[in-house]
Amino acid sequence: MAELDIQPYEYSEDNIRTLAWNEHIRLRPGMYIGKLGNGEHQDDGIYVLLKEVIDNSVDEHMMGYGKTIEIDVTDTTVSVRDYGRGIPLGSVKSASSVMNTGAKYDSKAFKKSVGLNGVGIKAVNALSTTFDIRSVRGGEAKEVVYSKGDIVADKPVEPCDEADGTRVTFTPDGSLFEGYAYKMEFVEQLVKNYVYLNTGLTIVLNGKKYASRHGLLDLLSDSMTSEPLYAPIHLTGDDIEVVLTHTEQYGEEYYSFVNGQNTVQGGTHLTAFREAVARTIKEYFNNKYEYADIRAGLVGAVAVKVEEPVFESQTKTKLGSKNMAPDRPTVFKYIGDFIKKELDDYMHIHLDVVEVMQQKIQEAEKERKAIAGITKIAREKAKKVNLHNKKLRDCRIHLNDAKGDRREESSIFITEGNSASGSITKSRDVDTQAVFSLRGKPLNCYGKTKRLVYENEEFNLLQAALNIEDGIEGLRYNRVIVATDADVDGMHIRLLMITFFLQFFPELIKKGHVYILQTPLFRVRNVKRGKTVYCYSDAERAKAIDELSPNAEITRFKGLGEISPEEFTHFIGPDMRLDQVMMRKTDAVGDLLGYYMGDNTRERQDFIIENLVVEEDKVV
């Protein structure tokens, strides 16, 4: 055995460093805001910064101070002004720049707050090139201006004639959030969620007013992409609000909140809600039905207010609290008792709703029993195939792992053909990136029943790989990425896969888990200069040619299989380009799928002919 040549490493007091509070945040931003990003995705860091500031203003409203919050957002800068009590003037500097400092440790001042650890607004400060905080109380104002957490101006207290409250203006640091820009559709949804959960609160976003009179009922009405089978059931109580209905869609769909925070990954409160609803309905019908049939097509929302909530990460996307408060019942008991009484009472009064609900449950039961025989065989087959890696090259870290700080990075690439999957497999991060290889084009599943998912080998194996047969709570990957060639066949496969998800697992798309991988169309390189540029459009190609000289070598990639594993590393790394598949109520998904995937061949043919564009003897 060859001896290892280990070089001595000097380890002394000089190696020990103590970082300033802002240095630590800037060095390890992921500990405080999750990921960085450029604003293309809803969970990018710039939206976490925005939320941290708004949360403080909403907490003031929840404590009974301030009915209006004014927010102004440009591509790069945010200003938030509330009309609450204002930060005590002598504490403006420490509240914004001293870690673990804040009023929310005192539950008398903020009983049911989102931000409890005195970190959030400091993270915004440290990660911004400009951070300006101004507090007004009793006719006096105090303002402090920072840059990357360092004080630029500490202005003295001065008299003013403004209303009490706090104003925070910040510009995220472009050296950390490279090329970032706020997307107003994400900001608008964030604002809507705040007003849904705080009736009586008005948020003025760039001059437009947002308010809600009916709380979660408004949220469900604005969010559902399928028509409800009966008017949504809306129940409210102390520290809890729920709404639910059934639709014809497959799967379940939920929205959950804690103290105004959108817990997109659920948590103890959502688990309690799902179980309590299913159990109450089951008991109403004398235990006749199974939970899976009761929850088929169920759409619901739950919001609770918890004292001193415990979240599983700084970004507060999943509740871990077991109790409603230190001296109150468990989350499970509180929600369970509330649902048991209120939903049961509602069902005994509204027999017309019960009739529709029962019909939906019976239809789900009938379909489940019809495919019961093939599902057992399909499950066993899927398990064997996945275990032997015939279709799935799995990764080591998954979204549903109990612990791990890289769960959010877990991804699965759905590829076409062995050559493409081979290239990705060889260049992927084996810790967080899995690969699933399609064999040819998947079936058009529009209008089909869920029996198809089990009878079709590709769909059955994919469902098993994702672990979504019983709902997306067990989803193994945070990002489900469709990776196909940038040609007509590749586009068709993308559409077929999106149809599959919309038809049977719409919540995957609604929760933001489905993406399309952008891969380069061209490689432009100048060998003499040793420079290579990968281009995703004709415009990028023209720009690259200008930069590298007209004599540059140009390669057109016809398919993913033509890209070497070494090159693929650039396209599926930290900076990979992804287009998130989004779904909104205004998209009229049913009509779109019916038009593009239904049997109206003549209509589609006429549309294509009428919209052909001829450009220099080339059909576009």
Side-chain angles (χ1 to χ4, degrees), residues 246-282:
H246 279 87
T247 70
E248 291 291 3
Q249 70 184 36
Y250 285 100
E252 307 166 53
E253 180 181 336
Y254 300 106
Y255 304 86
S256 65
F257 304 85
V258 175
N259 297 2
Q261 169 71 30
N262 185 5
T263 45
V264 293
Q265 291 186 337
T268 52
H269 60 317
L270 180 56
T271 301
F273 173 69
R274 291 179 69 243
E275 290 187 7
V277 169
R279 183 173 60 250
T280 300
I281 294 175
K282 181 182 176 73

mmCIF file of all heavy atoms in Angstrom, residues 246-282:
data_model
loop_
_atom_site.group_PDB
_atom_site.id
_atom_site.type_symbol
_atom_site.label_atom_id
_atom_site.label_comp_id
_atom_site.label_asym_id
_atom_site.label_seq_id
_atom_site.Cartn_x
_atom_site.Cartn_y
_atom_site.Cartn_z
ATOM 1 N N HIS A 246 -65.116 19.650 -1.511
ATOM 2 C CA HIS A 246 -64.630 18.613 -2.420
ATOM 3 C C HIS A 246 -64.720 19.110 -3.859
ATOM 4 O O HIS A 246 -65.593 19.932 -4.187
ATOM 5 C CB HIS A 246 -65.462 17.334 -2.290
ATOM 6 C CG HIS A 246 -65.084 16.464 -1.133
ATOM 7 N ND1 HIS A 246 -65.614 16.630 0.132
ATOM 8 C CD2 HIS A 246 -64.217 15.416 -1.036
ATOM 9 C CE1 HIS A 246 -65.102 15.724 0.952
ATOM 10 N NE2 HIS A 246 -64.255 14.970 0.271
ATOM 11 N N THR A 247 -63.841 18.600 -4.701
ATOM 12 C CA THR A 247 -63.886 18.881 -6.137
ATOM 13 C C THR A 247 -63.762 17.552 -6.878
ATOM 14 O O THR A 247 -63.563 16.497 -6.272
ATOM 15 C CB THR A 247 -62.726 19.799 -6.572
ATOM 16 O OG1 THR A 247 -61.491 19.067 -6.485
ATOM 17 C CG2 THR A 247 -62.642 21.042 -5.709
ATOM 18 N N GLU A 248 -63.843 17.617 -8.216
ATOM 19 C CA GLU A 248 -63.705 16.405 -9.017
ATOM 20 C C GLU A 248 -62.250 16.028 -9.266
ATOM 21 O O GLU A 248 -61.969 14.998 -9.860
ATOM 22 C CB GLU A 248 -64.422 16.584 -10.367
ATOM 23 C CG GLU A 248 -65.934 16.649 -10.276
ATOM 24 C CD GLU A 248 -66.573 15.320 -9.891
ATOM 25 O OE1 GLU A 248 -65.832 14.347 -9.629
ATOM 26 O OE2 GLU A 248 -67.810 15.258 -9.853
ATOM 27 N N GLN A 249 -61.316 16.873 -8.839
ATOM 28 C CA GLN A 249 -59.917 16.588 -9.124
ATOM 29 C C GLN A 249 -59.426 15.412 -8.284
ATOM 30 O O GLN A 249 -59.988 15.075 -7.249
ATOM 31 C CB GLN A 249 -59.052 17.811 -8.844
ATOM 32 C CG GLN A 249 -58.911 18.161 -7.363
ATOM 33 C CD GLN A 249 -58.123 19.442 -7.135
ATOM 34 O OE1 GLN A 249 -58.218 20.380 -7.905
ATOM 35 N NE2 GLN A 249 -57.351 19.472 -6.068
ATOM 36 N N TYR A 250 -58.348 14.788 -8.777
ATOM 37 C CA TYR A 250 -57.712 13.730 -8.007
ATOM 38 C C TYR A 250 -56.812 14.355 -6.943
ATOM 39 O O TYR A 250 -56.387 15.490 -7.033
ATOM 40 C CB TYR A 250 -56.857 12.844 -8.916
ATOM 41 C CG TYR A 250 -57.674 11.902 -9.770
ATOM 42 C CD1 TYR A 250 -57.939 12.192 -11.099
ATOM 43 C CD2 TYR A 250 -58.181 10.716 -9.239
ATOM 44 C CE1 TYR A 250 -58.684 11.326 -11.889
ATOM 45 C CE2 TYR A 250 -58.927 9.841 -10.016
ATOM 46 C CZ TYR A 250 -59.177 10.158 -11.344
ATOM 47 O OH TYR A 250 -59.926 9.302 -12.118
ATOM 48 N N GLY A 251 -56.528 13.555 -5.923
ATOM 49 C CA GLY A 251 -55.614 14.023 -4.898
ATOM 50 C C GLY A 251 -56.256 15.006 -3.936
ATOM 51 O O GLY A 251 -57.452 15.307 -4.009
ATOM 52 N N GLU A 252 -55.443 15.481 -3.009
ATOM 53 C CA GLU A 252 -55.867 16.456 -2.017
ATOM 54 C C GLU A 252 -55.104 17.758 -2.233
ATOM 55 O O GLU A 252 -54.047 17.768 -2.856
ATOM 56 C CB GLU A 252 -55.572 15.932 -0.606
ATOM 57 C CG GLU A 252 -56.133 14.552 -0.322
ATOM 58 C CD GLU A 252 -55.542 13.946 0.937
ATOM 59 O OE1 GLU A 252 -55.586 14.609 1.997
ATOM 60 O OE2 GLU A 252 -55.013 12.829 0.861
ATOM 61 N N GLU A 253 -55.655 18.835 -1.700
ATOM 62 C CA GLU A 253 -55.009 20.145 -1.868
ATOM 63 C C GLU A 253 -55.253 20.965 -0.609
ATOM 64 O O GLU A 253 -56.404 21.158 -0.201
ATOM 65 C CB GLU A 253 -55.602 20.854 -3.084
ATOM 66 C CG GLU A 253 -55.018 22.211 -3.374
ATOM 67 C CD GLU A 253 -55.682 22.848 -4.599
ATOM 68 O OE1 GLU A 253 -56.222 22.123 -5.445
ATOM 69 O OE2 GLU A 253 -55.662 24.085 -4.677
ATOM 70 N N TYR A 254 -54.157 21.427 0.006
ATOM 71 C CA TYR A 254 -54.292 22.139 1.264
ATOM 72 C C TYR A 254 -53.453 23.411 1.292
ATOM 73 O O TYR A 254 -52.410 23.497 0.638
ATOM 74 C CB TYR A 254 -53.843 21.251 2.437
ATOM 75 C CG TYR A 254 -54.647 19.981 2.576
ATOM 76 C CD1 TYR A 254 -54.102 18.752 2.199
ATOM 77 C CD2 TYR A 254 -55.932 20.000 3.086
ATOM 78 C CE1 TYR A 254 -54.827 17.577 2.310
ATOM 79 C CE2 TYR A 254 -56.675 18.836 3.202
ATOM 80 C CZ TYR A 254 -56.115 17.624 2.817
ATOM 81 O OH TYR A 254 -56.847 16.466 2.927
ATOM 82 N N TYR A 255 -53.918 24.360 2.092
ATOM 83 C CA TYR A 255 -53.188 25.586 2.379
ATOM 84 C C TYR A 255 -53.161 25.707 3.903
ATOM 85 O O TYR A 255 -54.213 25.599 4.547
ATOM 86 C CB TYR A 255 -53.877 26.797 1.757
ATOM 87 C CG TYR A 255 -54.088 26.665 0.266
ATOM 88 C CD1 TYR A 255 -55.226 26.025 -0.243
ATOM 89 C CD2 TYR A 255 -53.151 27.144 -0.638
ATOM 90 C CE1 TYR A 255 -55.409 25.876 -1.610
ATOM 91 C CE2 TYR A 255 -53.328 27.008 -2.009
ATOM 92 C CZ TYR A 255 -54.466 26.368 -2.484
ATOM 93 O OH TYR A 255 -54.637 26.222 -3.849
ATOM 94 N N SER A 256 -51.975 25.907 4.461
ATOM 95 C CA SER A 256 -51.903 25.955 5.926
ATOM 96 C C SER A 256 -51.099 27.162 6.387
ATOM 97 O O SER A 256 -50.142 27.578 5.723
ATOM 98 C CB SER A 256 -51.279 24.661 6.468
ATOM 99 O OG SER A 256 -49.928 24.531 6.062
ATOM 100 N N PHE A 257 -51.486 27.692 7.553
ATOM 101 C CA PHE A 257 -50.892 28.920 8.072
ATOM 102 C C PHE A 257 -50.780 28.866 9.599
ATOM 103 O O PHE A 257 -51.629 28.268 10.268
ATOM 104 C CB PHE A 257 -51.738 30.136 7.685
ATOM 105 C CG PHE A 257 -51.960 30.275 6.198
ATOM 106 C CD1 PHE A 257 -52.994 29.597 5.568
ATOM 107 C CD2 PHE A 257 -51.129 31.074 5.435
ATOM 108 C CE1 PHE A 257 -53.200 29.717 4.199
ATOM 109 C CE2 PHE A 257 -51.317 31.196 4.062
ATOM 110 C CZ PHE A 257 -52.357 30.522 3.451
ATOM 111 N N VAL A 258 -49.748 29.508 10.100
ATOM 112 C CA VAL A 258 -49.560 29.661 11.550
ATOM 113 C C VAL A 258 -49.219 31.121 11.825
ATOM 114 O O VAL A 258 -48.238 31.644 11.294
ATOM 115 C CB VAL A 258 -48.421 28.764 12.071
ATOM 116 C CG1 VAL A 258 -48.171 29.050 13.552
ATOM 117 C CG2 VAL A 258 -48.762 27.298 11.872
ATOM 118 N N ASN A 259 -50.047 31.781 12.613
ATOM 119 C CA ASN A 259 -49.815 33.193 12.960
ATOM 120 C C ASN A 259 -49.562 34.049 11.723
ATOM 121 O O ASN A 259 -48.699 34.934 11.715
ATOM 122 C CB ASN A 259 -48.615 33.313 13.914
ATOM 123 C CG ASN A 259 -48.864 32.604 15.234
ATOM 124 O OD1 ASN A 259 -49.913 31.996 15.437
ATOM 125 N ND2 ASN A 259 -47.909 32.680 16.134
ATOM 126 N N GLY A 260 -50.280 33.749 10.651
ATOM 127 C CA GLY A 260 -50.134 34.520 9.419
ATOM 128 C C GLY A 260 -49.032 34.032 8.506
ATOM 129 O O GLY A 260 -48.886 34.528 7.390
ATOM 130 N N GLN A 261 -48.250 33.065 8.940
ATOM 131 C CA GLN A 261 -47.152 32.530 8.137
ATOM 132 C C GLN A 261 -47.658 31.366 7.282
ATOM 133 O O GLN A 261 -48.260 30.424 7.792
ATOM 134 C CB GLN A 261 -46.022 32.049 9.053
ATOM 135 C CG GLN A 261 -44.936 31.249 8.369
ATOM 136 C CD GLN A 261 -44.070 32.103 7.475
ATOM 137 O OE1 GLN A 261 -43.886 33.289 7.741
ATOM 138 N NE2 GLN A 261 -43.540 31.517 6.428
ATOM 139 N N ASN A 262 -47.380 31.435 5.979
ATOM 140 C CA ASN A 262 -47.782 30.363 5.067
ATOM 141 C C ASN A 262 -46.816 29.192 5.227
ATOM 142 O O ASN A 262 -45.686 29.231 4.760
ATOM 143 C CB ASN A 262 -47.764 30.876 3.623
ATOM 144 C CG ASN A 262 -48.277 29.844 2.637
ATOM 145 O OD1 ASN A 262 -48.738 28.775 3.025
ATOM 146 N ND2 ASN A 262 -48.208 30.155 1.366
ATOM 147 N N THR A 263 -47.258 28.152 5.899
ATOM 148 C CA THR A 263 -46.414 26.977 6.130
ATOM 149 C C THR A 263 -46.569 26.034 4.944
ATOM 150 O O THR A 263 -47.355 25.080 4.980
ATOM 151 C CB THR A 263 -46.814 26.277 7.437
ATOM 152 O OG1 THR A 263 -48.247 26.182 7.494
ATOM 153 C CG2 THR A 263 -46.327 27.054 8.637
ATOM 154 N N VAL A 264 -45.814 26.311 3.884
ATOM 155 C CA VAL A 264 -45.987 25.577 2.635
ATOM 156 C C VAL A 264 -45.643 24.102 2.772
ATOM 157 O O VAL A 264 -46.079 23.272 1.967
ATOM 158 C CB VAL A 264 -45.144 26.204 1.500
ATOM 159 C CG1 VAL A 264 -45.681 27.577 1.153
ATOM 160 C CG2 VAL A 264 -43.671 26.275 1.889
ATOM 161 N N GLN A 265 -44.860 23.741 3.790
ATOM 162 C CA GLN A 265 -44.545 22.334 4.017
ATOM 163 C C GLN A 265 -45.397 21.722 5.117
ATOM 164 O O GLN A 265 -45.137 20.607 5.559
ATOM 165 C CB GLN A 265 -43.058 22.173 4.346
ATOM 166 C CG GLN A 265 -42.150 22.471 3.151
ATOM 167 C CD GLN A 265 -40.697 22.175 3.454
ATOM 168 O OE1 GLN A 265 -40.279 22.151 4.605
ATOM 169 N NE2 GLN A 265 -39.925 21.936 2.420
ATOM 170 N N GLY A 266 -46.418 22.445 5.544
ATOM 171 C CA GLY A 266 -47.353 21.890 6.520
ATOM 172 C C GLY A 266 -46.796 21.856 7.920
ATOM 173 O O GLY A 266 -46.249 22.826 8.424
ATOM 174 N N GLY A 267 -46.950 20.698 8.564
ATOM 175 C CA GLY A 267 -46.496 20.557 9.935
ATOM 176 C C GLY A 267 -47.569 19.935 10.801
ATOM 177 O O GLY A 267 -48.537 19.334 10.311
ATOM 178 N N THR A 268 -47.435 20.078 12.110
ATOM 179 C CA THR A 268 -48.345 19.404 13.039
ATOM 180 C C THR A 268 -49.792 19.854 12.863
ATOM 181 O O THR A 268 -50.720 19.054 12.987
ATOM 182 C CB THR A 268 -47.902 19.659 14.487
ATOM 183 O OG1 THR A 268 -47.734 21.072 14.697
ATOM 184 C CG2 THR A 268 -46.582 18.964 14.774
ATOM 185 N N HIS A 269 -50.000 21.138 12.564
ATOM 186 C CA HIS A 269 -51.369 21.646 12.428
ATOM 187 C C HIS A 269 -52.060 21.080 11.194
ATOM 188 O O HIS A 269 -53.251 20.747 11.232
ATOM 189 C CB HIS A 269 -51.381 23.168 12.387
ATOM 190 C CG HIS A 269 -50.597 23.764 11.265
ATOM 191 N ND1 HIS A 269 -49.344 23.308 10.895
ATOM 192 C CD2 HIS A 269 -50.874 24.784 10.390
ATOM 193 C CE1 HIS A 269 -48.900 24.010 9.866
ATOM 194 N NE2 HIS A 269 -49.797 24.908 9.557
ATOM 195 N N LEU A 270 -51.339 20.932 10.077
ATOM 196 C CA LEU A 270 -51.947 20.387 8.864
ATOM 197 C C LEU A 270 -52.220 18.896 9.026
ATOM 198 O O LEU A 270 -53.277 18.396 8.611
ATOM 199 C CB LEU A 270 -51.044 20.628 7.653
ATOM 200 C CG LEU A 270 -51.579 20.085 6.319
ATOM 201 C CD1 LEU A 270 -52.968 20.642 6.022
ATOM 202 C CD2 LEU A 270 -50.627 20.402 5.180
ATOM 203 N N THR A 271 -51.304 18.172 9.645
ATOM 204 C CA THR A 271 -51.531 16.749 9.894
ATOM 205 C C THR A 271 -52.764 16.554 10.767
ATOM 206 O O THR A 271 -53.603 15.684 10.496
ATOM 207 C CB THR A 271 -50.300 16.132 10.590
ATOM 208 O OG1 THR A 271 -49.152 16.307 9.755
ATOM 209 C CG2 THR A 271 -50.508 14.643 10.834
ATOM 210 N N ALA A 272 -52.884 17.376 11.797
ATOM 211 C CA ALA A 272 -54.045 17.287 12.687
ATOM 212 C C ALA A 272 -55.340 17.603 11.946
ATOM 213 O O ALA A 272 -56.365 16.937 12.143
ATOM 214 C CB ALA A 272 -53.869 18.249 13.862
ATOM 215 N N PHE A 273 -55.300 18.618 11.080
ATOM 216 C CA PHE A 273 -56.484 19.014 10.312
ATOM 217 C C PHE A 273 -56.933 17.884 9.384
ATOM 218 O O PHE A 273 -58.119 17.522 9.348
ATOM 219 C CB PHE A 273 -56.161 20.271 9.508
ATOM 220 C CG PHE A 273 -57.226 20.688 8.543
ATOM 221 C CD1 PHE A 273 -58.444 21.174 8.991
ATOM 222 C CD2 PHE A 273 -57.024 20.598 7.171
ATOM 223 C CE1 PHE A 273 -59.435 21.578 8.095
ATOM 224 C CE2 PHE A 273 -57.993 20.992 6.265
ATOM 225 C CZ PHE A 273 -59.203 21.477 6.737
ATOM 226 N N ARG A 274 -56.003 17.305 8.628
ATOM 227 C CA ARG A 274 -56.340 16.226 7.686
ATOM 228 C C ARG A 274 -56.958 15.036 8.413
ATOM 229 O O ARG A 274 -57.967 14.479 7.975
ATOM 230 C CB ARG A 274 -55.099 15.769 6.924
ATOM 231 C CG ARG A 274 -54.547 16.771 5.937
ATOM 232 C CD ARG A 274 -53.306 16.244 5.245
ATOM 233 N NE ARG A 274 -53.619 15.141 4.342
ATOM 234 C CZ ARG A 274 -53.159 13.899 4.474
ATOM 235 N NH1 ARG A 274 -52.346 13.594 5.487
ATOM 236 N NH2 ARG A 274 -53.486 12.962 3.602
ATOM 237 N N GLU A 275 -56.350 14.662 9.513
ATOM 238 C CA GLU A 275 -56.844 13.506 10.257
ATOM 239 C C GLU A 275 -58.205 13.785 10.889
ATOM 240 O O GLU A 275 -59.094 12.927 10.871
ATOM 241 C CB GLU A 275 -55.826 13.100 11.327
ATOM 242 C CG GLU A 275 -54.549 12.499 10.756
ATOM 243 C CD GLU A 275 -53.641 11.945 11.833
ATOM 244 O OE1 GLU A 275 -54.067 11.908 13.021
ATOM 245 O OE2 GLU A 275 -52.514 11.543 11.501
ATOM 246 N N ALA A 276 -58.367 14.985 11.432
ATOM 247 C CA ALA A 276 -59.617 15.320 12.123
ATOM 248 C C ALA A 276 -60.785 15.390 11.142
ATOM 249 O O ALA A 276 -61.891 14.911 11.447
ATOM 250 C CB ALA A 276 -59.462 16.648 12.860
ATOM 251 N N VAL A 277 -60.569 15.974 9.964
ATOM 252 C CA VAL A 277 -61.639 16.058 8.962
ATOM 253 C C VAL A 277 -62.055 14.661 8.516
ATOM 254 O O VAL A 277 -63.251 14.334 8.470
ATOM 255 C CB VAL A 277 -61.179 16.900 7.752
ATOM 256 C CG1 VAL A 277 -62.168 16.758 6.589
ATOM 257 C CG2 VAL A 277 -61.050 18.367 8.138
ATOM 258 N N ALA A 278 -61.087 13.816 8.187
ATOM 259 C CA ALA A 278 -61.401 12.466 7.719
ATOM 260 C C ALA A 278 -62.098 11.658 8.810
ATOM 261 O O ALA A 278 -63.083 10.945 8.540
ATOM 262 C CB ALA A 278 -60.126 11.764 7.264
ATOM 263 N N ARG A 279 -61.612 11.776 10.039
ATOM 264 C CA ARG A 279 -62.199 11.008 11.143
ATOM 265 C C ARG A 279 -63.629 11.459 11.439
ATOM 266 O O ARG A 279 -64.530 10.632 11.651
ATOM 267 C CB ARG A 279 -61.331 11.152 12.387
ATOM 268 C CG ARG A 279 -61.821 10.330 13.575
ATOM 269 C CD ARG A 279 -60.843 10.357 14.745
ATOM 270 N NE ARG A 279 -60.631 11.720 15.237
ATOM 271 C CZ ARG A 279 -59.503 12.394 15.077
ATOM 272 N NH1 ARG A 279 -58.495 11.856 14.421
ATOM 273 N NH2 ARG A 279 -59.397 13.621 15.571
ATOM 274 N N THR A 280 -63.863 12.763 11.429
ATOM 275 C CA THR A 280 -65.204 13.288 11.723
ATOM 276 C C THR A 280 -66.212 12.851 10.667
ATOM 277 O O THR A 280 -67.337 12.435 10.991
ATOM 278 C CB THR A 280 -65.165 14.826 11.811
ATOM 279 O OG1 THR A 280 -64.270 15.216 12.850
ATOM 280 C CG2 THR A 280 -66.546 15.394 12.098
ATOM 281 N N ILE A 281 -65.816 12.934 9.401
ATOM 282 C CA ILE A 281 -66.720 12.515 8.318
ATOM 283 C C ILE A 281 -66.962 11.007 8.386
ATOM 284 O O ILE A 281 -68.102 10.537 8.199
ATOM 285 C CB ILE A 281 -66.131 12.914 6.947
ATOM 286 C CG1 ILE A 281 -66.085 14.437 6.826
ATOM 287 C CG2 ILE A 281 -66.950 12.313 5.805
ATOM 288 C CD1 ILE A 281 -65.400 14.949 5.568
ATOM 289 N N LYS A 282 -65.940 10.248 8.670
ATOM 290 C CA LYS A 282 -66.068 8.790 8.784
ATOM 291 C C LYS A 282 -67.049 8.417 9.901
ATOM 292 O O LYS A 282 -67.931 7.565 9.723
ATOM 293 C CB LYS A 282 -64.691 8.176 9.055
ATOM 294 C CG LYS A 282 -64.656 6.654 9.168
ATOM 295 C CD LYS A 282 -63.236 6.186 9.476
ATOM 296 C CE LYS A 282 -63.169 4.687 9.687
ATOM 297 N NZ LYS A 282 -63.312 3.942 8.420
#
